[in-house]
Amino acid sequence: MVVLAACVAVQAGAVTLYYESPAEEWLEALPIGNGAMGAMVFGGVEHERIQFNEDTLWTGQPHDYANEGAADHLEEIRDLLWAGEQDKAESLAMEHFMSEPLRQQAYQPFGDLHLHFEGHDNPEEYRRELDLEHALATTRYRIGETAFTRTVFASYPDGVIAVRIEADEPGAVSFSAELSSPHAEPEDWAEVETAAVDEKTLALRGQLLGSFNELDSALRFEARLRADVEGGEITADDDGIAVANADAVTLLLTAATSYVDFADISGDPSARCAETLGGIAGESYEALKERHVADHRELFQANTIDLGGGIHDHLPADERLAAYQDEPDPAVAALVYQFGRYLLIASSRPGSQPANLQGVWNDALQPPWESKYTINMNTEMNYWLAELTGLSECHEPLFDALEDLTITGASVAERHYDAPGWVTHHNFDLWRGAAPINNANHGVWPTGGAWLCQHLWWRYLFTRDEDFLRERAYPIMKEASRFFLDYLVEDPEFGEGWLVSGPSNSPERGGLVMGPAMDHQ
């Protein structure tokens, strides 16, 4: 998941991160999310940037990564490894046993919401904060005699990111809003446009076109921004929305792609955005906020922790972390714990994609490790806290992905190993790639899916839900086990009855091996 510098503080007894200046870099912004959508809130004054994501916007398109004919070379690879010819085995695997194409696809940033407040150049009493318990990002400051407040949250019940802009003087809210996309910049990467939908709604729409890691992109996407104005005037054109002399404004942002599932991209993002915003037409800001807070708190309050301390509670987050170096405070550890729970709630809810390497947050067209699902440790780490800390329902997207992987992984089991069941190696992406990727010296590691099955078992251990075990978990675990019953081979040194894994990867020994401890453990 995304790691934020200077991340935590307690203020007035609440689980809150607060700062005394706007974020200058993306990692300093405050994360919000509703599972499917995530955003980073910078808290700017004259210019506010809210960078947002939707979890199905990826490069590529439906694709079977399995390598036809790979199984024809399996026994030769094993024989070379038994003979101590590791280099030759890895060379043979690179030529005949790897994913097609060799690398998987990348999670993409969706866009940016920009707000421009003319004349807000000398703020006083500035404060920005993230209330973890209520999942509200708030920016406050004073311009002259007028106090301004912006509150941002990502609502799971209503599927929108809401931005509330208020002042303590009537008619004081004036600003312009626009949507932009990072996909508009690279040549031949995408087609992108903005257009007014009606007198108060702006759309950002496009289609990914570029080829990434040897696979052409095809997803269509759209975001819509609607401004509900209390008092004042509003105009909208293809470039943006302008609000003048309002008492308060609620901006509602939603986003969607044409992704239906890993094999189907026939969805209509325009219709999805229209349906989401239409479903809350006429709703008051107070009603939206109340539903959001109640939904989030039901999860967040399922678990509390108190380690004592709190000696620097009064400090801003960045200063508190600096003070921790000289005077460790157990309350900081408790805050980090709750911040981790907050991030899982924000990036993994029923119906969304699982939390990827950066949760649901990403601002890069080519993010580190493509911001995929790395299942030789990182994905498991994201979800270790689900059952343990009262966030069982946040596990659901991972279970959905496992069900998909039983399909793509069955193709890999057959074509790479001539085996029944299903298998997944150390990475998968939106298209549920299950074949070994990148390089044979670490990519041929068939235990990723089996390790993830432990999460299914934990769900049962914590809930004792026999229907879940019988109908959902056991079929997945059974087919993973069927693969290994066929995949394991006798160790020629120890003889009959000693079954080992291989070819596979050993982090301790390095490269492609037979019988790595990592698999057997």
Side-chain angles (χ1 to χ4, degrees):
M1 283 188 176
V2 64
V3 177
L4 305 182
C7 63
V8 289
V10 174
Q11 184 68 13
V15 187
T16 302
L17 340 174
Y18 95 94
Y19 303 82
E20 295 180 339
S21 61
E24 295 183 3
E25 301 178 3
W26 185 81
L27 281 173
E28 296 175 348
L30 299 176
I32 60 170
N34 62 13
M37 289 186 71
M40 298 291 279
V41 183
F42 281 65
V45 179
E46 285 187 288
H47 170 219
E48 169 66 295
R49 176 191 176 195
I50 300 175
Q51 188 274 321
F52 63 94
N53 294 86
E54 198 276 346
D55 64 2
T56 63
L57 188 61
W58 289 62
T59 61
Q61 59 182 296
H63 180 75
D64 186 348
Y65 289 90
N67 187 337
E68 191 69 52
D72 295 341
H73 303 274
L74 177 60
E75 291 308 317
E76 185 178 358
I77 292 170
R78 283 172 171 160
D79 290 342
L80 287 169
L81 291 173
W82 288 129
E85 300 285 354
Q86 185 184 54
D87 290 344
K88 290 182 179 180
E90 290 178 359
S91 179
L92 181 63
M94 285 297 294
E95 186 176 358
H96 296 291
F97 203 75
M98 304 302 289
S99 169
E100 291 186 337
L102 186 61
R103 298 183 68 88
Q104 292 176 356
Q105 297 304 298
Y107 180 48
Q108 294 293 282
F110 203 107
D112 292 89
L113 168 59
H114 302 274
L115 306 177
H116 303 280
F117 298 88
E118 187 175 352
H120 289 208
D121 52 352
N122 291 304
E124 298 178 311
E125 301 175 24
Y126 178 92
R127 176 188 173 101
R128 67 182 174 106
E129 66 180 33
L130 178 64
D131 179 344
L132 301 181
E133 184 176 350
H134 300 83
L136 301 172
T138 307
T139 303
R140 298 183 179 90
Y141 58 87
R142 183 175 294 278
I143 300 293
E145 298 300 317
T146 305
F148 293 88
T149 303
R150 291 199 301 270
T151 305
V152 188
F153 59 84
S155 169
Y156 176 70
D158 293 308
V160 295
I161 292 173
V163 183
R164 177 71 169 179
I165 306 168
E166 301 173 290
D168 65 356
E169 297 287 340
V173 176
S174 298
F175 65 94
S176 62
E178 61 188 44
L179 294 172
S180 67
S181 166
H183 300 98
E185 297 297 331
E187 186 178 357
D188 298 327
W189 190 273
E191 292 179 348
V192 181
E193 66 172 5
T194 58
V197 176
D198 56 39
E199 66 278 2
K200 63 177 184 177
T201 308
L202 179 68
L204 167 73
R205 57 175 67 103
Q207 179 172 349
L208 298 183
L209 297 174
S211 180
F212 186 84
N213 287 344
E214 303 181 54
L215 190 61
D216 290 341
S217 299
L219 279 171
R220 293 173 291 118
F221 59 91
E222 181 162 326
R224 290 195 180 185
L225 177 71
R226 187 177 78 201
D228 293 334
V229 178
E230 298 170 24
E233 300 177 353
I234 181 172
T235 58
D237 58 29
D238 291 348
D239 295 321
I241 295 172
V243 173
N245 306 318
D247 300 329
V249 179
T250 302
L251 299 174
L252 300 175
L253 176 69
T254 190
T257 76
S258 56
Y259 180 89
V260 177
D261 59 42
F262 71 92
D264 183 353
I265 56 171
S266 64
D268 185 342
S270 296
R272 289 173 170 177
C273 288
E275 181 180 8
T276 298
L277 291 180
I280 52 176
E283 290 274 7
S284 69
Y285 167 74
E286 289 73 18
L288 293 171
K289 180 181 175 183
E290 182 178 350
R291 277 198 298 271
H292 158 70
V293 170
D295 168 76
H296 175 80
R297 291 187 79 193
E298 183 177 2
L299 284 170
F300 191 83
Q301 292 186 325
N303 181 282
T304 61
I305 185 171
D306 183 356
L307 302 179
I311 53 178
H312 298 301
D313 287 1
H314 60 288
L315 294 178
D318 47 355
E319 294 181 23
R320 187 175 187 196
L321 280 187
Y324 182 87
Q325 308 306 312
D326 296 323
E327 193 173 8
D329 181 359
V332 171
L335 261 293
V336 171
Y337 170 87
Q338 291 288 36
F339 188 62
R341 296 181 69 247
Y342 169 87
L343 291 175
L344 185 60
I345 296 170
S347 59
S348 187
R349 300 295 298 272
S352 77
Q353 295 298 308
N356 64 46
L357 273 173
Q358 296 179 186
V360 71
W361 303 277
N362 172 42
D363 69 335
L365 295 174
Q366 299 188 45
W369 297 283
E370 289 83 38
S371 196
K372 303 189 300 295
Y373 301 94
T374 300
I375 57 176
N376 62 359
M377 176 59 80
N378 303 90
T379 301
E380 289 84 353
M381 291 173 68
N382 283 353
Y383 285 94
W384 281 340
L385 69 166
E387 305 298 332
L388 283 165
T389 72
L391 302 180
S392 186
E393 76 172 54
C394 295
H395 238 152
E396 290 296 318
L398 183 64
F399 301 156
D400 291 341
L402 279 172
E403 290 175 332
D404 292 345
L405 288 166
T406 65
I407 300 171
T408 59
S411 176
V412 174
E414 178 183 0
R415 298 185 191 183
H416 286 248
Y417 299 96
D418 194 21
W422 69 278
V423 62
T424 302
H425 293 75
H426 88 296
N427 270 105
F428 71 89
D429 60 5
L430 183 71
W431 315 112
R432 304 312 189 231
I437 67 167
N438 298 351
N439 195 300
N441 66 11
H442 65 272
V444 182
W445 181 71
T447 325
W451 192 6
L452 286 175
C453 284
Q454 189 175 39
H455 289 258
L456 297 166
W457 183 242
W458 283 337
R459 161 61 72 83
Y460 169 69
L461 291 180
F462 276 84
T463 66
R464 295 295 174 178
D465 184 343
E466 291 190 2
D467 290 337
F468 170 82
L469 180 62
R470 179 184 305 107
E471 298 168 10
R472 195 171 186 192
Y474 180 73
I476 298 173
M477 294 190 290
K478 177 184 175 181
E479 292 304 306
S481 300
R482 287 184 68 217
F483 168 79
F484 279 97
L485 285 172
D486 191 274
Y487 169 73
L488 294 173
V489 295
E490 289 186 350
D491 187 321
E493 181 177 348
F494 292 99
E496 183 177 355
W498 289 88
L499 298 177
V500 297
S501 171
S504 188
N505 172 248
S506 170
E508 297 83 8
R509 293 164 59 189
L512 197 61
V513 301
M514 296 296 295
M518 184 175 183
D519 289 4
H520 300 161
Q521 290 165 357

